[in-house]
Amino acid sequence: MEKPHIEKIDWKNLPFGYIKTDHNIRCYYKDGKWGELEITSKEHLDIHIAATCLHYGQQAFEGMKAFMGKDGKIRLFRWQENAKRMIRSAEGIHMAPVPEELFKKAVVKAVLTNKQFVPPHGTGAALYIRPLLLGTGAQVGVKPSAEYMFLVFVTPVGPYFKEGFNPVNIAIVRDSDRAAPLGTGHIKVGGNYAASLRGIITAVNAGCGSPMYLDAKEKRYIDEIGAANFFGIKNNTYITPKSDSILPSITNDSVMAIAEDMGLKVERRPVPVDELESFDEAGACGTAAIIAPIGEVHDLETGKTIKFSKDGKAGPVSTSIYSRLIGIQFGDEKDKFGWTEIIG
Ligand SMILES: Cc1ncc(COP(=O)(O)O)c(C=O)c1O
C-alpha cells in the first residue's frame, strides 16, 4: 500500500477534498444483526452487482468533524446528533439503522487509528468524518435490502469554500429542485445530492459558490444553500427557514443556541425569498462550511443582485457567532453547552 506522506501535507492550505488516510472502519448487517467492527486499510469495496445502494439509491451518510485542541486533545462535536440523524435517514428509506453506540465506536476508532491526520491546532483545518450506510443485498425488484454495510472513513479538510470565512456569492436557481415537499430532503441520503447537482452546476456556471434552493411547490420561500442551511440577520434577530424539505443542520441548531446566548432573538419560520433584501447580514451554515457569510445573491431568472457585504467582509454578528462556534469546537472557549467530547 502506498503510504500517505503526512510531512508533505500543507495543513494551512488544505482543500475540502479527499486525502488518503491509514484506515477505515467497516461493519456488516446480516441475518437481522450487526457484526463486529473491522479495521482495514483498503480504499475500495467489493460489492454485489445487484446491491440496492447501486441501483435504487439505498444509502445514507453523515458528515462531522474532529478538532485538535491547543491542549493536544481531540474533540468530537455533537456526535450524538449525527448518530440520531443517521438513524432517521436509515428509517426514512427502509434501511437497517446503525445503533448510536455502534456509530460512536466506529467513529472513535476511525479517528484514533488515523490520529496523525487530525490537523494541528491553529491551522483552521479539521478531520472530516464520513459515516456511510449502504444497502448491499442483491435485489432486482425495487425493495429494501436485507443486508447492509456501515463504513466510516476520515480525511483532513480545510475550508469548504475557497473564500474561507469571506463572503461567498450565491445563485438562486429556479429551474431544478433538490427535494420534493414529501420526499427525502429532510434526511441525508445520496439521492438528494444527485438531484442537487444540476443546481450546483448552474450556480458555478454563473460564477457563484453555491445555489440557493427555493421551496419546490411555490418557489416563494428559501429552502437552503447547497449543503448548508440559510440564515439572515436583522433587527437583532437570527432568522432561518423552517421547511420539511431541508436537512435539519446540526451547525444551525448550534448557531441558534449561540445567537440566543448572545442576546439575539431567534426565529425559525418560512422565509420568503422577497425578504432577502431586508437582511443586514446573510450566511450559510453547515459542518463543512461552518459559517459562510454571503456577499451577493444573484437571481438568475430576474437578473437582480442583492448585496450584503459592501466591504468584502463578513458582517459583525456573523463574525461573532463564527468565532464562538469555532472557539468551542477547537476547545479554545468554554463549552457551556456540553457539545464537545474529548476522545483522545
Ligand atoms: C443539504 C444539507 N443541508 C444542510 C447541511 C448542514 O448540516 P450540518 O450542520 O449538520 O452539517 C448539510 C450538511 O450536512 C447538507 O448536506
Side-chain angles (χ1 to χ4, degrees):
M1 186 186 84
E2 183 207 340
K3 276 273 171 202
H5 299 290
I6 294 184
E7 65 280 2
K8 284 199 186 143
I9 297 179
D10 182 2
W11 299 109
K12 283 198 167 140
N13 293 300
L14 272 180
F16 192 89
Y18 178 80
I19 289 176
K20 186 181 178 181
T21 58
D22 285 345
H23 306 108
N24 60 85
I25 310 300
R26 302 177 185 191
C27 189
Y28 300 88
Y29 180 91
K30 221 179 161 184
D31 302 323
K33 55 180 190 297
W34 286 101
E36 295 296 314
L37 293 183
E38 295 173 14
I39 172 164
T40 177
S41 53
K42 284 194 203 128
E43 285 176 290
H44 293 90
L45 303 176
D46 187 3
I47 207 160
H48 194 283
I49 53 173
T52 59
C53 66
L54 299 179
H55 300 262
Y56 305 128
Q58 238 204 341
Q59 73 91 262
F61 64 102
E62 270 304 322
M64 50 203 286
K65 281 176 176 168
F67 302 87
M68 180 64 80
K70 222 189 310 196
D71 52 8
K73 295 194 170 122
I74 302 168
R75 288 164 172 79
L76 283 183
F77 184 73
R78 303 192 75 180
W79 67 266
Q80 298 89 339
E81 299 305 315
N82 294 94
K84 286 188 188 119
R85 190 167 66 188
M86 198 174 210
I87 291 173
R88 293 199 300 273
S89 297
E91 287 169 347
I93 56 169
H94 294 278
M95 299 198 289
V98 177
E100 221 171 288
E101 275 316 304
L102 179 65
F103 180 95
K104 186 191 183 187
K105 258 195 200 164
V107 164
V108 170
K109 218 181 194 55
V111 174
L112 296 186
T113 55
N114 291 292
K115 225 172 174 168
Q116 65 275 36
F117 291 96
V118 183
H121 185 81
T123 59
L127 188 72
Y128 186 75
I129 306 164
R130 171 53 60 86
L132 176 67
L133 177 62
L134 303 172
T136 47
Q139 295 287 4
V140 177
V142 183
K143 48 181 142 146
S145 169
E147 292 175 11
Y148 293 88
M149 175 185 201
F150 175 50
L151 182 152
V152 183
F153 75 79
V154 297
T155 192
V157 293
Y160 188 71
F161 291 111
K162 66 176 181 351
E163 289 83 354
F165 186 66
N166 286 311
V168 59
N169 292 343
I170 300 298
I172 300 177
V173 294
R174 296 170 193 269
D175 59 353
S176 65
D177 291 316
R178 162 191 174 273
L182 294 176
T184 54
H186 62 295
I187 53 177
K188 204 162 166 65
V189 298
N192 297 338
Y193 297 81
S196 75
L197 288 173
R198 279 170 57 196
I200 290 172
I201 299 305
T202 303
V204 168
N205 287 345
C208 292
S210 241
M212 174 182 279
Y213 294 104
L214 304 183
D215 79 281
K217 204 168 169 185
E218 293 186 85
K219 299 274 185 290
R220 264 186 68 194
Y221 300 100
I222 298 171
D223 250 1
E224 55 186 337
I225 309 264
N229 280 183
F230 170 84
F231 68 85
I233 289 162
K234 64 178 174 188
N235 307 330
N236 198 40
T237 309
Y238 177 94
I239 299 158
T240 191
K242 183 172 164 57
S243 157
D244 291 339
S245 53
I246 66 178
L247 191 76
S249 156
I250 296 157
T251 313
N252 198 8
D253 187 69
S254 314
V255 165
M256 284 190 266
I258 290 173
E260 215 154 53
D261 195 56
M262 282 169 40
L264 272 85
K265 220 176 116 198
V266 171
E267 287 179 10
R268 217 176 130 243
R269 58 163 168 83
V271 181
V273 67
D274 291 342
E275 193 178 339
L276 261 179
E277 289 177 77
S278 68
F279 293 121
D280 300 326
E281 296 178 36
C285 59
T287 296
I290 313 178
I291 286 182
I294 295 175
E296 297 176 0
V297 176
H298 297 259
D299 191 326
L300 301 184
E301 202 171 89
T302 62
K304 196 167 157 182
T305 295
I306 300 160
K307 265 190 191 253
F308 293 103
S309 173
K310 277 137 202 111
D311 56 359
K313 292 205 189 97
V317 181
S318 308
T319 306
S320 305
I321 294 175
Y322 173 75
S323 307
R324 272 205 68 191
L325 180 58
I326 61 164
I328 293 172
Q329 291 178 327
F330 283 102
D332 293 329
E333 205 169 299
K334 195 165 169 280
D335 177 16
K336 68 180 275 192
F337 303 99
W339 285 335
T340 53
E341 183 171 334
I342 292 174
I343 57 160

